[in-house]
Amino acid sequence: MLTAPNQPFDIGPLYYTVAPGPWGLMGLAASNKGLIHIQSVTPSEKAYVNFLKRSFVNTPQKDSKRLKPATDQLRLYLKGKLRSFDIPLDFITGTTFQKQVWRKLASIPYGETRSYAWLARSVKRPNAHRAVGNANGKNPLSILLPCHRVVQSNGNLGGYSGGLHIKRYLLELEKTGRASL
C-alpha cells in the first residue's frame, strides 16, 4: 500500500527506480545521502512517481544507475544469496521514536524473529507494544530494516504493511533459503 505523509518533505535531489520483484514491481528512492524508501509492491512506475511527488517537495528523477547497488543487493537477498545489506540509508522521515524503533530492527539477526514486546522493551518503552507496531507499519525501508522479523508474542505473524503474504515469504526465505509465492 502506498501512503504519503501529511506534509511533503524537502530533501534536495530525489532519485528513484523501479525494479522487478517476486510480487511485481518494487520502488526505491534515494537522497544524495542514501536510500530513503522501498516500496515492496507498487502497481506501476507512474504510481510510485505519484507517491513520491505527494511525499516530497522535490521532483523525482529516475536514476537506475545510482540505485543499482540497492537493487542488486535486494535481488541477491530475495534469491536467498545475501544475508545483510551494505547500503547507505537516510532517515529523513519519521518521529524520533519511529527512528529509534527502525534502528533497533536492524539488530534482529537474519532468520530470527522477535516479538513486539521485545522490541518495545529494547527501545525502553516496555508498555508501548501498539506504538512499536505502528512504527513498524510506517517503516520506509522494509526488508532492509527487517520489520518482517517482528511477530506477536504467541508466535502469530501480526501485521505487515506490504501484506502478510510478503511477510510469510520473507520469513520462509530466511528460514530455508528459498520461498514460494
Side-chain angles (χ1 to χ4, degrees):
M1 177 191 307
L2 299 174
T3 57
N6 293 336
Q7 294 287 358
F9 292 92
D10 185 355
I11 62 162
L14 172 63
Y15 309 99
Y16 83 94
T17 193
V18 292
W23 318 283
L25 290 176
M26 296 189 314
L28 291 86
S31 70
N32 279 331
K33 295 179 184 174
L35 200 62
I36 59 172
H37 187 262
I38 297 173
Q39 185 71 41
S40 54
V41 180
T42 187
S44 66
E45 181 172 344
K46 182 178 179 181
Y48 191 61
V49 168
N50 287 336
F51 162 78
L52 293 173
K53 286 179 179 178
R54 288 190 313 273
S55 302
F56 301 96
V57 171
N58 320 81
T59 301
Q61 305 167 43
K62 187 167 187 176
D63 193 339
S64 300
K65 185 176 179 179
R66 177 183 295 270
L67 287 155
K68 187 176 184 333
T71 55
D72 287 350
Q73 287 186 38
L74 277 167
R75 275 193 199 104
L76 288 171
Y77 167 82
L78 292 166
K79 289 179 181 179
K81 297 180 180 185
L82 184 72
R83 291 177 167 237
S84 63
F85 296 94
D86 181 18
I87 300 168
L89 306 178
D90 186 4
F91 292 95
I92 59 162
T93 63
T95 65
T96 301
F97 174 73
Q98 288 169 336
K99 290 175 186 179
Q100 184 181 16
V101 169
W102 299 337
R103 285 186 175 95
K104 194 63 182 175
L105 293 172
S107 74
I108 303 173
Y110 181 93
E112 296 184 21
T113 59
R114 298 291 187 268
S115 69
Y116 292 101
W118 172 88
L119 190 53
R121 286 190 306 273
S122 295
V123 296
K124 304 198 181 344
R125 300 273 302 273
N127 297 318
H129 306 138
R130 183 168 285 169
V132 163
N134 287 334
N136 263 11
K138 292 183 181 344
N139 175 5
L141 294 162
S142 62
I143 303 175
L144 270 69
L145 299 176
C147 52
H148 61 276
R149 296 179 191 157
V150 180
V151 298
Q152 295 176 344
S153 295
N154 64 7
N156 289 340
L157 291 182
Y160 193 69
S161 61
L164 286 180
H165 66 291
I166 293 176
K167 187 171 189 170
R168 277 189 208 95
Y169 181 98
L170 295 171
L171 292 173
E172 181 182 338
L173 174 73
E174 291 186 8
K175 184 178 179 182
T176 67
R178 62 186 184 283
S180 57
L181 297 174

